[in-house]
């Protein structure tokens, strides 16, 4: 019996959550049970009530906003306690195509991967501005250097994880989870596959950051933290050179 839980972190998504939920698969070949989990990260609208009305199986509600990284972590922990064999994470703003989830979980079902990520192909994505495409390319090169391999879309949150993969990775940032968990997965030699996807047009500005510079700053701090964690000898050797 294979159980899939699709988790959706939310903050003030009463308008978009029904559209996102309607796009999610109800049946996937090879999956015996599909359940849905919403993590309401301190919403001030009716996100919690909407999730309940939609009949979503599990809803976690934070009384205050705690950040996407913590919301993701709590969703994963709850999913594992509920017996999930595979966990898929998607966004509540309907950016990611729900009909691609079957393709996302296929490599895990076939024992070909432990983690599968939707590649939005940032350099070609028609919904990204030229500046965003440029910054995505720069960011991907930085994360690729730290991870030690080529990464096409480092901040894609459309991902499928096997139960075993989730036991291996830890969220280290309140801000987000996408970069640190990705670098960890490569550093721990997990099998990772990429699936090309087409995204939907943005329905609203990001609530994760106020502007692109805040996003860049927080992402760089996150990358540095993970790099120090997995490459301490290199980091502290360089820092010691002036004293030598």
């Amino acid at each position: 019996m294979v159980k899939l839980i699709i988790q959706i972190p939310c903050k003030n998504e009463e308008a978009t959550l029904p559209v996102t939920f309607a796009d999610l698969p109800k049946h996937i070949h090879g999956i015996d049970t599909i359940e849905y989990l919403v993590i309401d990260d301190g919403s001030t609208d009716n996100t919690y009530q909407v999730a309940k009305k939609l009949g979503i199986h599990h809803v976690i509600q934070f009384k205050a906003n705690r950040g996407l990284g913590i919301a993701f972590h709590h969703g994963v922990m709850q999913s594992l306690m509920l017996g999930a064999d595979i966990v898929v994470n998607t966004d509540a703003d309907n950016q990611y195509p729900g009909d691609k989830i079957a393709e996302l979980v296929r490599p895990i079902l076939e024992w070909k991967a432990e983690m599968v990520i939707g590649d939005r192909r940032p350099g070609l994505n028609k919904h990204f501005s030229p500046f965003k495409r440029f910054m995505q390319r720069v960011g991907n090169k930085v994360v690729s250097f730290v991870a030690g391999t080529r990464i096409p879309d480092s901040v894609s949150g459309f991902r499928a994880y096997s139960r075993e993969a989730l036991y291996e990775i830890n969220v280290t940032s309140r801000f987000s989870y996408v970069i640190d968990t990705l670098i960890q997965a490569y550093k721990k030699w997990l099998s990772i596959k990429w699936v090309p996807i087409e995204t939907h047009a943005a329905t609203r500005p990001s609530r994760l950051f106020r502007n692109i510079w805040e996003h860049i700053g927080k992402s760089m701090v996150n990358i540095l933290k993970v790099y120090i964690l997995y490459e301490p000898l290199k980091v502290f050797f360089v820092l010691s050179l002036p004293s030598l």
Side-chain angles (χ1 to χ4, degrees), residues 72-197:
F72 172 82
H73 172 74
H74 276 260
V76 164
M77 293 298 100
Q78 183 70 13
S79 296
L80 292 175
M81 287 189 290
L82 290 167
D85 299 290
I86 302 173
V87 175
V88 166
N89 190 88
T90 190
D91 285 355
D93 61 0
N94 201 38
Q95 174 192 167
Y96 300 118
D99 59 359
K100 278 285 187 177
I101 289 179
E103 190 173 339
L104 205 65
V105 302
R106 184 61 46 198
I108 296 177
L109 289 172
E110 295 175 350
W111 296 90
K112 295 179 179 178
E114 296 163 288
M115 181 175 171
V116 186
I117 307 169
D119 176 12
R120 299 169 299 171
R121 293 172 290 182
L124 303 173
N125 195 304
K126 62 183 179 182
H127 300 304
F128 291 179
S129 67
F131 179 70
K132 186 174 182 178
R133 292 177 189 172
F134 171 75
M135 294 308 300
Q136 289 272 7
R137 285 196 295 270
V138 173
N140 288 337
K141 287 184 181 298
V142 173
V143 177
S144 296
F145 171 77
V146 175
T149 187
R150 180 185 175 276
I151 293 176
D153 189 4
S154 58
V155 293
S156 172
F158 191 50
R159 301 180 178 184
Y161 303 83
S162 69
R163 168 182 282 270
E164 293 74 21
L166 291 172
Y167 284 138
E168 291 281 344
I169 58 179
N170 302 291
V171 179
T172 63
S173 170
R174 174 182 179 271
F175 166 63
S176 184
Y177 64 92
V178 290
I179 293 176
D180 58 341
T181 56
L182 180 60
I183 295 172
Q184 286 180 55
Y186 277 108
K187 292 295 184 181
K188 293 183 178 182
W189 301 99
L190 297 182
S191 176
I192 302 171
K193 299 286 187 184
W194 296 82
V195 173
I197 61 170

Side-chain angles (χ1 to χ4, degrees), residues 222-240:
N222 200 9
I223 292 169
L224 183 60
K225 284 168 59 179
V226 179
Y227 188 70
I228 293 173
L229 180 65
Y230 285 94
E231 300 289 352
L233 183 61
K234 293 180 181 178
V235 172
F236 291 108
F237 174 75
V238 171
L239 292 176
S240 70

Side-chain angles (χ1 to χ4, degrees), residues 7-10 36-43 47-48 51-52 56-63 66 70-79 81-82:
Q7 71 170 35
I8 314 169
C10 295
Y36 311 95
L37 167 65
V38 160
I39 308 99
D40 179 8
D41 187 16
S43 295
T47 295
Y48 179 82
K52 286 292 189 180
I56 290 174
H57 301 87
H58 314 284
V59 183
I60 300 173
Q61 185 181 34
F62 296 162
K63 300 304 181 184
R66 301 177 67 181
I70 294 176
F72 172 82
H73 172 74
H74 276 260
V76 164
M77 293 298 100
Q78 183 70 13
S79 296
M81 287 189 290
L82 290 167

Side-chain angles (χ1 to χ4, degrees), residues 3-14:
K3 183 175 185 177
L4 164 67
I5 292 184
I6 302 173
Q7 71 170 35
I8 314 169
C10 295
K11 181 187 176 185
N12 296 335
E13 300 289 6
E14 64 177 5

